[in-house]
Amino acid sequence: MSDSERELADRLFSENKTHAPFRPIRDSLRPATMEAGYHVQDLLNARYSEDGRGSIAGYKVGLTSEKIRELCGVHEPIAGAIFQSIVHRSPANLKLADFMHLGIEFELAVEIAKDVPADAPPRDAESVRDYVAACLPAFELIEDRNADYGDLDALSIMVDNSWCGGIVLGQAEGDWRALDFKTNPVAMYLNDEFVENGVTGDAMGHPFESVAWLAGLLAGQGKQLRAGMVVMTGSTLATRFPQAGEEYRYEVEGLGSVSAASA
């Protein structure tokens, strides 16, 4: 790791601790490549772990929509770590005061059944199936630090641990093996009123494609997905920003639902 990578990781850690607004990295510390950016993310996450967030429980995959990737000027998704201390179970009660600016994304979480070999990770959705223990409806909690969405880039988000502020997991219900995740229906409700629907394939065409992409990324970094880890596979619907007194519920047909109330 270079001195500039360490300096940027220290700056990001301080900005998050002091609740400084998010700023895209456009100065001399900006990493030249995504690979160098992941070095910064690793250093930042090591600081978080030492500061009390604990061990890594899994990973998130973001920018799973091609349109969003084009907007951010990249050709692939981004990843971030999920810490054990910020894994919540449904029904969850979220305190808005714990976040600078909370966003909720609507996802399928995949629990890994066995260690994924770093030397031969799965390459596509079909080969991922051998490594899946369970699939659960889930929320990703986005901490965007009041970012200006008109002035963003993927690398700046990624080095900031891809804005992962936690996850909420539903229960493992139904038989995921019987479902076609390219077309499986999902629906979102706000205070028990229907808002929007979609399909699980709206994230990467198939949520297992996110897992395959992540396994390859980690292998290139000398890491691997391990048994018991959770992968957040990308949002099927647009991000929502909850207000006090609101309750969101996200249903994945055949797998049940996940819910969270904010105060």
Side-chain angles (χ1 to χ4, degrees), residues 178-202:
L179 304 178
D180 180 356
F181 284 134
K182 289 182 179 180
T183 59
N184 197 68
V186 301
M188 182 262 284
Y189 298 81
L190 173 58
N191 295 337
D192 285 329
E193 293 190 7
F194 171 78
V195 176
E196 190 177 0
N197 59 9
V199 297
T200 45
D202 287 335

Side-chain angles (χ1 to χ4, degrees), residues 111-115 129-134 226-229:
E111 182 180 331
I112 301 301
K114 58 184 179 179
D115 292 358
R129 296 176 69 88
D130 292 339
Y131 298 95
V132 176
R226 297 193 177 275
M229 283 186 168

Side-chain angles (χ1 to χ4, degrees), residues 88 92-99 102-104 139 141 167-168 242 244 246 259-263:
H88 310 276
N93 292 303
L94 306 176
K95 296 180 180 179
L96 297 179
D98 290 341
F99 302 84
L102 172 63
I104 290 183
F139 296 130
L141 308 179
I167 62 174
V168 180
E246 292 182 339
S259 66
S262 52

Side-chain angles (χ1 to χ4, degrees), residues 139-158:
F139 296 130
E140 184 186 352
L141 308 179
I142 298 294
E143 172 59 279
D144 66 16
R145 291 199 284 132
N146 287 313
D148 177 359
Y149 278 71
D151 181 26
L152 290 179
D153 65 77
L155 187 146
S156 295
I157 298 171
M158 180 270 285

Side-chain angles (χ1 to χ4, degrees), residues 8-64:
L8 179 55
D10 288 345
R11 188 174 85 189
L12 289 167
F13 180 79
S14 177
E15 287 177 353
N16 278 274
K17 288 288 284 186
T18 60
H19 293 174
F22 178 85
R23 316 175 276 166
I25 301 161
R26 305 274 167 74
D27 59 15
S28 61
L29 294 183
R30 181 179 174 86
T33 64
M34 295 294 280
E35 180 181 5
Y38 279 109
H39 293 167
V40 176
Q41 188 194 101
D42 285 344
L43 290 166
L44 173 63
N45 286 341
R47 294 289 304 275
Y48 283 147
S49 184
E50 294 166 1
D51 192 52
R53 291 199 187 184
S55 60
I56 291 177
Y59 296 89
K60 63 151 298 179
V61 181
L63 303 186
T64 53

Side-chain angles (χ1 to χ4, degrees), residues 116-123 131 215 219:
V116 175
D119 58 346
R123 296 184 177 276
Y131 298 95

